[in-house]
Amino acid sequence: MADYTRAQVIETLRKGQAMERADLRQMNLSKADIGGARLRRADLEGANLEESNLAKANLTSANLRDAYLSRANLEGANLQKADLEGANLQGANLQNADLSRANLEGANLEGAKLNGANLTSAQLEMANLGGAELLASNLSSADLREAYLGGAKLMQANLQYAGLEKANLEEADLTEAVLTEADLRGACGRSVVFVRAVLEGAILDSASLIGANLTDADLRGSSVRGADISGAILTGAKLAGISAVPEQFAGVQVEWVDFSTKAGDVRVEGADLVEYYTRLKSGTAPAVGVAVAASGDQQRRFFGRGDVLRNASLEFGTQSVVEIESRFEKCDIALGEQAQLIVGEHGSLENCRVHGCGDIVVHGRFEAGGDGPSIIGPRSLLIGKKGKIVGAVQQHAESTRFGFEQGCEMSLKISRAR
C-alpha cells in the first residue's frame, strides 16, 4: 500500500517534482489534475485514476496493472513499455500518446480515443477496442491476437506486420489503412471496410470476410485460402499474385479487378474473374475479356506466388511479356522475338533452360547446374539489386547486352554465339 496521501501526491506532482518508482498502489487519484506528472516506473497497480488529467505525463515503464483509468485524459502521455495489463481505459483520451511496447493484454479500451497514438510492438492480445478511434495510429508489429475491434475506426492506421490472428474486426473501418504482411488468419471481418487499404502480402487464410468492402484494396501477393469472401466487394482491387481458389471469387460483388504487374496493365471484368483466375493458375491466362495497356497485341502471362511448376515446356510468342513470382523447376522456356521474361523478387527458376531472342530481367533467383548453357541467345540480361543468378549464358548472335545492379549476386560463364 502507498505511503502517501492523495493530497501529498497531487501537491508533489503539481509542483513538477518527480515521483519515479513511487509506491502508489491502490491509491485513489480520481479526477486529479496532474497533467505533465513525472511518474516514470511508478507502481500504480490497481490505482483509481478515473477522469484524472494525465496529459503529457511521463509514465514510462510504470506499473498500471488493473488500474482504473476510465475517461482519463492521457493525451500526449509517454507510456512506453508501461504495464497496463487488465487496465480499464474505457472512453479514455490517449490521442498522440506513446504506447510503444506497452503491455495492454486484456485491457478495456472500448470507445477510447487513440488517434495518432504510437502503439508500435504493443501487446494487445485479447484487448477490447470496440468502437475505439485509432485514426492514423501506428500499430506496426503490434500483437492483436483475439482482440475485439468491432466498429473500431482505423482509417489510415499503420498495421504492417501486425498479428491479428482470430481478431474480431466486424464492421471496423480500415479505409486506407496499411496492413502489409499482417497476419489475419482466422480473423472475423464480417462487413469490415478495407477501401483502398494496403493488404499486400497479408495472410487472410480461413478469415471470415463476408460482406467486406475491399474496393480498390491492394491484395497483391496476399493469401486468402480457406477464407469466406462471399458477398465481399472487390471492384478495383489489385489481385496480382494473390493465393486463392478460383471458386472463392464466385460469390463476390465486382465490376472489375486489377491483375497488373510490372510487366503491364491487366484489367479483368467481373464476369470473367473466375475464368481468368482459373486460367491464371494453370498458366494459360490472359483470358477473354482482359483489357491490357496500349500494346494490346502483346501476350501477357503472370505466374503468382505459391505456385510450383516442374518439368514443363513453355513457349511464348513474339513480344510476349511473362512475369514469374512462383517457383519453376527443370522447365524449358522458349522466348519469341522481343519477348520479355521477368523473374520477380519472389520468383525462382531452378535448373531451367531459357532460349530465344528475348529480354530477361532477374529480380529473384535463377540457378542452374550442369556444363551446358542455361540461357541461350537473349538480347539482354539484366540482374536487379536483389537478384541472384548462377549458370552459363550463350550470347545472342549480335552479342547480348548485360546489366547488373549493385548488390546482386552472380556466378556466370559467358560464351559467344555458335
Side-chain angles (χ1 to χ4, degrees), residues 145-381:
R145 289 173 296 170
E146 298 184 57
Y148 180 73
L149 291 143
K153 295 176 173 60
L154 289 139
M155 292 82 88
Q156 297 182 339
N158 180 2
L159 287 142
Q160 62 178 343
Y161 314 122
L164 289 146
E165 302 100 309
K166 297 183 180 180
N168 190 324
L169 293 157
E170 285 187 328
E171 299 183 359
D173 191 341
L174 289 105
T175 299
E176 296 182 354
V178 177
L179 296 106
T180 307
E181 296 188 32
D183 191 341
L184 292 114
R185 284 176 292 183
C188 178
R190 184 184 291 268
S191 300
V192 65
V193 178
F194 280 126
V195 174
R196 295 186 298 280
V198 179
L199 290 143
E200 191 171 4
I203 304 171
L204 296 122
D205 296 346
S206 302
S208 174
L209 296 168
I210 300 169
N213 189 343
L214 289 145
T215 303
D216 295 328
D218 187 347
L219 287 151
R220 290 175 297 178
S222 65
S223 177
V224 295
R225 290 187 176 274
D228 188 347
I229 56 174
S230 55
I233 303 170
L234 282 171
T235 298
K238 297 179 177 66
L239 301 180
I242 193 170
S243 180
V245 174
E247 291 74 19
Q248 286 178 273
F249 296 116
V252 301
Q253 302 179 55
V254 56
E255 294 177 16
W256 63 275
V257 290
D258 185 352
F259 274 93
S260 299
T261 69
K262 294 176 183 177
D265 297 332
V266 182
R267 170 174 163 146
V268 181
E269 300 302 319
D272 300 322
L273 176 54
V274 175
E275 180 187 357
Y276 177 84
Y277 192 68
T278 300
R279 295 182 65 180
L280 187 66
K281 296 291 286 183
S282 65
T284 61
V288 175
V290 177
V292 299
S295 52
D297 293 336
Q298 291 184 337
Q299 182 186 41
R300 300 178 186 276
R301 300 286 177 87
F302 177 77
F303 298 87
R305 290 175 63 177
D307 293 335
V308 179
L309 195 62
R310 298 186 178 93
N311 303 311
S313 294
L314 304 171
E315 184 174 347
F316 302 103
T318 301
Q319 296 186 333
S320 295
V321 179
V322 184
E323 185 168 357
I324 297 172
E325 289 285 0
S326 50
R327 182 173 175 174
F328 281 28
E329 297 178 3
K330 297 181 180 178
C331 294
D332 186 271
I333 302 170
L335 299 177
E337 188 79 19
Q338 297 182 22
Q340 297 177 51
L341 173 65
I342 302 167
V343 182
E345 289 186 9
H346 303 285
S348 173
L349 272 65
E350 298 183 17
N351 295 315
C352 294
R353 181 173 176 266
V354 179
H355 52 96
C357 185
D359 298 303
I360 302 170
V361 181
V362 180
H363 295 294
R365 293 171 55 242
F366 188 115
E367 298 182 79
D371 297 327
S374 47
I375 300 175
I376 302 170
R379 290 196 314 166
S380 66
L381 175 60

Side-chain angles (χ1 to χ4, degrees), residues 6 10 24-31 47-50:
R6 170 187 167 95
I10 292 174
L24 304 172
R25 287 173 294 169
Q26 308 297 324
M27 178 159 282
N28 182 4
L29 291 167
S30 61
K31 300 185 179 180
N48 182 357
L49 292 151
E50 181 183 11

Side-chain angles (χ1 to χ4, degrees), residues 125-142:
E125 187 176 358
M126 294 186 289
N128 179 4
L129 288 147
E133 295 181 12
L134 292 124
L135 282 70
S137 59
N138 188 351
L139 288 142
S140 176
S141 300

